Amino acid sequence: MKGKIVVVTGASGALGKVVVASALAKGARVAGIDHAAATIKATSERIELGGVDLTDVAEAGKAIDAAVSHFGKLDALINIAGGFAFETVSDGDPKTWQRMYALNVLTALNASRSAIPYLTASNAGRIVNVGAMGALQAGSGMGAYAASKAAVHRLTEALAAEWKGKITVNAVLPSTIDTAANRASMPGADFAKWVRPEELADVILFLASDAASAVTGALLPVNGRV
């Protein structure tokens, strides 16, 4: 990743922070985009763009443009921004479906569409999305979330087909990620079997690297220790 310019959405989240740190450690320069306020000053290696609503087309475009303006180019977009909701189809709020679509699909769609003109100018343009293992077969309470992540899978495949030969587009499909929030919500689970953010970051950055030039349209399960 040395010398690569990478945009990470959802950069302030549990996974986003790890991906940003890992990319920087591997020699990339990183622009982090998030709905939360920025907390660090811009440097030649890193910039934070806070207060961005990626569900809004115009805001997504301005954020991507700002990242490219700062670094001069863009090589990889990593779409981590998203959300989760657990409620049954029968008893849940119909608005949850709209919220999950906006947070998981529109964020990735808007960021990708804004980044594509810059990524096509790179010799190794990459988009990496975050899908979900739970979207392959939804369980009880997972309807809205799984449907939105399944849409991310289809978005990944469609973009990969449209831009084959110019940009690679892939998605990781993690099982449960070992975060503080997930531990708090599932205290009786076997955390040792979950996917560590560092492990997932390694897979994401591989797909964003030159080494993954022959991989596109892949939906790659990341299962943890089963």
Side-chain angles (χ1 to χ4, degrees):
M1 297 300 295
K2 188 172 179 61
K4 298 290 185 182
I5 306 301
V6 180
V7 165
V8 179
T9 73
S12 295
L15 176 59
K17 287 179 180 178
V18 173
V19 171
V20 168
S22 183
L24 289 168
K26 294 178 185 295
R29 290 182 285 170
V30 181
I33 299 175
D34 204 279
H35 193 265
T39 59
I40 66 168
K41 293 182 178 180
T43 68
S44 61
E45 304 300 319
R46 182 179 181 184
I47 184 174
E48 281 191 358
L49 300 164
V52 180
D53 180 4
L54 289 172
T55 69
D56 182 273
V57 174
E59 287 199 35
K62 288 179 182 178
I64 296 295
D65 290 346
V68 175
S69 177
H70 184 77
F71 289 120
K73 65 171 186 171
L74 178 60
D75 297 303
L77 169 66
I78 300 172
N79 286 311
I80 299 175
F84 177 77
F86 185 89
E87 60 183 39
T88 64
V89 175
S90 301
D91 298 327
D93 187 341
K95 292 182 179 178
T96 299
W97 290 72
Q98 296 173 325
R99 182 164 61 90
M100 288 296 95
Y101 181 82
L103 292 177
N104 292 322
V105 185
L106 289 184
T107 56
L109 173 64
N110 292 339
S112 296
R113 283 169 57 92
S114 299
I116 282 170
Y118 299 116
L119 294 173
T120 55
S122 171
N123 291 326
R126 306 278 187 266
I127 296 175
V128 184
N129 296 322
V130 177
M133 284 286 291
L136 299 180
Q137 182 173 357
S140 176
M142 299 288 284
Y145 173 76
S148 68
K149 284 298 189 178
V152 172
H153 300 176
R154 301 293 83 79
L155 171 64
T156 300
E157 293 168 336
L159 284 174
E162 290 176 18
W163 293 99
K164 189 174 183 179
K166 296 182 179 179
I167 303 170
T168 68
V169 188
N170 298 288
V172 292
L173 279 57
S175 57
T176 305
I177 304 174
D178 189 0
T179 65
N182 283 338
R183 286 192 178 209
S185 65
M186 294 176 276
D190 184 353
F191 305 146
K193 292 184 177 180
W194 288 359
V195 179
R196 291 188 297 109
E198 294 79 8
E199 294 173 319
L200 187 53
D202 284 342
V203 179
I204 288 170
L205 293 176
F206 164 73
L207 292 173
S209 74
D210 290 340
S213 61
V215 183
T216 195
L219 305 176
L220 187 60
V222 184
N223 294 312
R225 299 161 192 79
V226 293

